[in-house]
């Protein structure tokens, strides 16, 4: 392992373990509503597989930041390990393609 990889390893371990550290690394400051989602996702992620919920639903509302929060969650789940599956749904395919992917791109 190279010197740069060894320097990156503690940072990677922290953002892999804590979604809030990942959000800070992405320069994302969650609201209290988004923090509630992050808490649920972190709790479910660290539970044994048999005890996890199959789905986490986010109640709709205008302006609480659902799209941005789900982008952070999906990207964080990608850091958890190889071949992780995170399914994000929306009422229409247009919302998936145009809105959600655009928001993820903006965060990157």
């Amino acid at each position: 392992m190279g010197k740069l990889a060894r320097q990156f390893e503690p940072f990677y371990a922290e953002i892999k373990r804590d979604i809030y550290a990942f959000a800070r690394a992405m320069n994302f400051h969650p609201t209290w509503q988004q923090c509630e989602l992050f808490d649920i996702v972190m709790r479910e992620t660290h539970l044994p597989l048999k005890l996890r919920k199959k789905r986490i639903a986010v109640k709709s509302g205008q302006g609480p930041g659902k799209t941005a929060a789900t982008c952070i969650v999906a990207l964080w789940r990608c850091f958890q390990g190889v071949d992780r599956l995170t399914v994000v749904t929306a009422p229409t395919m247009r919302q998936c393609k145009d809105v959600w992917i655009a928001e993820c791109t903006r965060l990157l």
Side-chain angles (χ1 to χ4, degrees):
M1 185 182 310
K3 181 180 177 182
L4 186 60
R6 281 192 302 274
Q7 290 174 341
F8 182 72
E9 193 172 0
F11 174 71
Y12 179 74
E14 181 183 3
I15 63 173
K16 183 179 175 182
R17 182 184 68 252
D18 184 13
I19 194 168
Y20 292 104
F22 180 76
R24 281 191 303 273
M26 298 290 291
N27 200 23
F28 182 80
H29 306 287
T31 65
W32 67 270
Q33 293 162 316
Q34 293 165 332
C35 287
E36 285 185 10
L37 172 63
F38 290 173
D39 290 340
I40 293 166
V41 168
M42 268 195 11
R43 185 175 59 243
E44 291 297 318
T45 299
H46 297 302
L47 281 175
L49 193 58
K50 292 180 181 181
L51 299 176
R52 292 183 191 172
K53 293 179 177 24
K54 291 185 179 181
R55 296 175 182 90
I56 298 172
V58 178
K59 186 176 178 182
S60 67
Q62 293 181 340
K66 296 178 299 294
T67 305
T70 57
C71 288
I72 292 293
V73 168
L75 293 170
W76 181 67
R77 295 261 309 154
C78 291
F79 274 81
Q80 296 301 304
V82 178
D83 295 332
R84 280 290 184 119
L85 179 65
T86 300
V87 178
V88 179
T89 63
T92 65
M93 189 56 129
R94 186 200 71 78
Q95 285 178 319
C96 285
K97 289 181 180 177
D98 298 343
V99 179
W100 193 80
I101 292 175
E103 183 71 22
C104 284
T105 304
R106 186 187 65 81
L107 287 172
L108 294 174

